[in-house]
Amino acid sequence: MNKQVQGKEFLTTANLCKLLDISVFTLWRRRDEGYFVMGIHYFKTNPNISNSQIIWDVQKVLKQFAEWKLPSKDEKDRFTLIQEANDKGGN
């Protein structure tokens, strides 16, 4: 479902995932991690119903995706830090 409201484009969860080439689980995980905020990035079509369909503001979601940054190469990942601590005799 593609819907225009006040000049903004909204998509259902399934159609947004197709557009972004990601799984629904990835989208929900990112939402749960705080990347997407209800009322800004997505809306329930009927806020009074708990399992109401969600529609996504395409432009705001794309902007959020564009602003995500990968960790810099100088930052060590968690595995490397644990391994270094173990090599030094840490627990």
Side-chain angles (χ1 to χ4, degrees):
M1 176 179 127
N2 186 349
K3 190 173 189 178
Q4 291 265 333
V5 178
Q6 296 178 349
K8 293 184 177 185
E9 181 181 11
F10 292 88
L11 291 175
T12 61
T13 299
N15 288 336
L16 181 67
C17 289
K18 287 178 188 175
L19 174 72
L20 299 173
D21 194 25
I22 61 171
S23 72
V24 171
F25 300 109
T26 298
L27 187 63
W28 291 143
R29 187 176 66 247
R30 293 296 187 195
R31 181 196 65 176
D32 293 343
E33 293 169 346
Y35 287 101
F36 301 117
V37 178
M38 185 168 20
I40 297 174
H41 300 99
Y42 65 96
F43 302 85
K44 288 186 171 189
T45 55
N46 187 341
N48 298 322
I49 300 175
S50 62
N51 64 346
S52 176
Q53 183 180 36
I54 291 178
I55 56 173
W56 297 82
D57 184 325
V58 176
Q59 292 306 312
K60 289 189 179 176
V61 170
L62 290 174
K63 182 179 178 192
Q64 183 65 23
F65 264 90
E67 291 177 358
W68 288 347
K69 295 179 182 169
L70 294 172
S72 72
K73 292 185 179 182
D74 295 335
E75 292 181 34
K76 295 181 180 177
D77 66 347
R78 184 172 177 240
F79 176 78
T80 303
L81 292 171
I82 292 169
Q83 189 172 18
E84 287 177 356
N86 287 335
D87 290 346
K88 293 179 181 178
N91 293 332

